[in-house]
Amino acid sequence: MEARTLLDAICVAAQLKDTTRHSYTKNGRHESVAEHSWMTTLMAYFMRDEFPEADMDKVIRMCMIHDLGEAFTGDIPSFEKTESDEQKETELLYQWVHSLPDYYAHEMIALYDEMEKRETVEAKIYKAIDNLEAVIQHNQADLSTWIPEEYELNLTYGNDKVEFSDYLKNLREEIRKDTRKKTET
């Protein structure tokens, strides 16, 4: 990628550092979308040995790019996001992706398509990690930052996304134990 093209692309992605999510960090500030994406990427890296059948480098790429659309629309919590919000985010994201050099545009479009369909093991792993990171982050945040819906949501969010993997089901259960411990004290 040419130097100017790289700098322009990074400037767009860097907006995610200042785009906050609904969730909070353990120190009480809003988490950024970039922090969430970084943590999902790190989780995928640490899970590499758990999924020998999967191309975990692809999962890592999925985690890195999965919320780039929020550089254009901001973050809308999953329990508030509408189909119209999804469409707008996708349109703006794809406009930007098509401005990238062909190799990256084609690769990213293929990854987004695979992530949307969730038919491959890699796409299933990515989506499970995306959901699980959100509940892990909530468990790390102070309980005073939770809204009423999150008490139940933190026990159930992502359950459907982990069903294909014993490892991920076990991880989800450990997260659920942390949630119960946090909310019962």
Side-chain angles (χ1 to χ4, degrees):
M1 185 180 289
E2 293 180 6
R4 175 51 43 201
T5 305
L6 173 65
L7 291 173
D8 292 345
I10 294 302
C11 283
V12 170
Q15 293 176 72
L16 296 179
K17 292 180 179 184
D18 293 318
T19 303
T20 57
R21 292 170 51 86
H22 166 75
S23 57
Y24 289 81
T25 66
K26 71 177 186 170
N27 291 328
R29 68 169 173 76
H30 277 282
E31 174 191 36
S32 74
V33 175
E35 290 168 316
H36 163 71
S37 294
W38 171 76
M39 188 60 77
T40 62
T41 304
L42 187 62
M43 288 174 67
Y45 173 78
F46 284 137
M47 290 182 190
R48 290 168 59 137
D49 293 339
E50 302 302 330
F51 297 98
E53 75 283 10
D55 179 350
M56 291 303 286
D57 289 334
K58 181 188 273 189
V59 175
I60 288 169
R61 288 192 307 276
M62 289 175 172
C63 290
M64 284 189 318
I65 69 168
H66 82 279
D67 276 340
L68 279 170
E70 294 181 9
F72 306 101
T73 61
D75 176 67
I76 302 169
S78 62
F79 51 86
E80 293 178 4
K81 199 172 220 178
T82 66
E83 190 173 316
S84 175
D85 294 328
E86 291 278 353
Q87 278 183 310
K88 181 180 178 184
E89 183 177 311
T90 299
E91 284 175 26
L92 294 170
L93 172 66
Y94 277 44
Q95 285 175 12
W96 176 71
V97 168
H98 285 297
S99 75
L100 297 172
D102 285 345
Y103 170 81
Y104 296 99
H106 291 301
E107 180 182 34
M108 289 175 79
I109 295 295
L111 287 169
Y112 285 125
D113 184 54
E114 186 174 341
M115 292 158 64
E116 178 68 28
K117 290 179 181 172
R118 270 187 252 143
E119 295 171 346
T120 65
V121 67
E122 291 83 5
K124 291 175 184 178
I125 294 167
Y126 136 73
K127 191 59 182 176
I129 290 171
D130 181 33
N131 282 199
L132 294 178
E133 194 285 331
V135 292
I136 291 167
Q137 185 60 49
H138 273 79
N139 280 344
Q140 292 178 356
D142 191 85
L143 206 53
S144 67
T145 65
W146 289 32
I147 60 174
E149 296 91 339
E150 290 171 325
Y151 287 81
E152 180 62 27
L153 197 58
N154 230 55
L155 294 171
T156 60
Y157 191 63
N159 286 355
D160 58 331
K161 306 300 186 308
V162 302
E163 283 303 311
F164 73 98
S165 163
D166 288 339
Y167 175 80
L168 291 171
K169 286 190 285 189
N170 183 54
L171 177 59
R172 182 64 185 101
E173 184 54 34
E174 290 300 313
I175 296 166
R176 195 175 354 272
K177 287 177 187 176
D178 288 350
T179 298
R180 286 189 180 113
K181 182 178 176 185
K182 181 176 199 73
T183 58
E184 292 172 2
T185 57

